[in-house]
Amino acid sequence: MWKKSLIVVCLMLPCWNLAQAGEARSVNFAVFQKYDKNFEFEPIVEGKFSDFITTMQGSQILALAHTADTIGGDVITFQTSVLRDENGSFGDFGIDCQLSFKDESTGNDYSYLLGGLCKIIQVGRGQNSKTLLVIPHTNVPDTTQGFEGWLLLKEDEKTGTAFYANVSMLH
């Protein structure tokens, strides 16, 4: 447990030095899991949100987050789980993420990075798996810069889970 906490702190420290009074953005983050074994996650999905969801047929959405007023140096956390009594045992199926947002924009050259840790939890119903994924800081597209789309940040092939993101203006 202390190792996870140390990793989270190490991921966040560089962000504190980069925090700028930049223009706030919304970070959009989505997690999908395959139910069709032949489905392949695309590295980039172009189009509006409805196009993105249509492209993901063959998978189910596990989590969707849209932040407000995010600036460089912020840490975004979210957890979504289904907890259940499994004949006297505790069942937990879900996602738990801590992500740091970096704004490396200069002038009119916009650059946003997102990275951190996500845990995929599948405990109960005959399974006992907790997978910790490190999502390296990755440039994510800003939809206001002429590209409507989502970028695949990380895929865990064992669980069939994929993490996508983009950045947009506040609405």
Side-chain angles (χ1 to χ4, degrees), residues 37-72:
K37 293 183 191 226
N38 296 319
F39 179 78
E40 295 292 327
F41 291 111
E42 297 292 329
I44 298 172
V45 179
E46 292 187 53
K48 298 205 177 285
F49 182 70
S50 58
D51 301 317
F52 178 50
I53 295 300
T54 299
T55 300
M56 298 311 239
Q57 290 182 16
S59 68
Q60 64 178 336
I61 192 161
L62 296 181
L64 179 62
H66 172 84
T67 68
D69 198 31
T70 306
I71 61 172

Side-chain angles (χ1 to χ4, degrees), residues 23-170:
E23 200 170 351
R25 291 285 195 259
S26 291
V27 174
N28 305 301
F29 189 73
V31 184
F32 290 87
Q33 187 174 48
K34 293 180 189 183
Y35 60 77
D36 177 350
K37 293 183 191 226
N38 296 319
F39 179 78
E40 295 292 327
F41 291 111
E42 297 292 329
I44 298 172
V45 179
E46 292 187 53
K48 298 205 177 285
F49 182 70
S50 58
D51 301 317
F52 178 50
I53 295 300
T54 299
T55 300
M56 298 311 239
Q57 290 182 16
S59 68
Q60 64 178 336
I61 192 161
L62 296 181
L64 179 62
H66 172 84
T67 68
D69 198 31
T70 306
I71 61 172
D74 285 351
V75 175
I76 302 162
T77 66
F78 72 91
Q79 178 181 12
T80 178
S81 289
V82 174
L83 307 175
R84 179 179 299 162
D85 179 19
E86 300 273 341
N87 297 321
S89 294
F90 184 69
D92 181 356
F93 273 67
I95 303 292
D96 183 5
C97 294
Q98 298 82 40
L99 305 166
S100 63
F101 178 70
K102 295 181 181 182
D103 181 350
E104 294 189 342
S105 302
T106 55
N108 289 331
D109 183 22
Y110 297 97
S111 178
Y112 304 101
L113 295 109
L114 189 65
L117 300 172
C118 285
K119 185 184 285 187
I120 303 165
I121 305 162
Q122 297 175 327
V123 175
R125 299 174 226 155
Q127 298 186 50
N128 188 16
S129 171
K130 293 180 183 176
T131 305
L132 181 63
L133 296 177
V134 175
I135 298 176
H137 278 96
T138 305
N139 278 305
V140 292
D142 180 355
T143 62
T144 65
Q145 301 305 307
F147 176 75
E148 287 280 342
W150 292 75
L151 178 72
L152 175 66
L153 296 176
K154 186 82 171 180
E155 178 181 356
D156 180 57
E157 292 184 12
K158 181 180 174 193
T159 61
T161 306
F163 301 83
Y164 284 85
N166 72 15
V167 176
S168 61
M169 287 295 292
L170 297 174

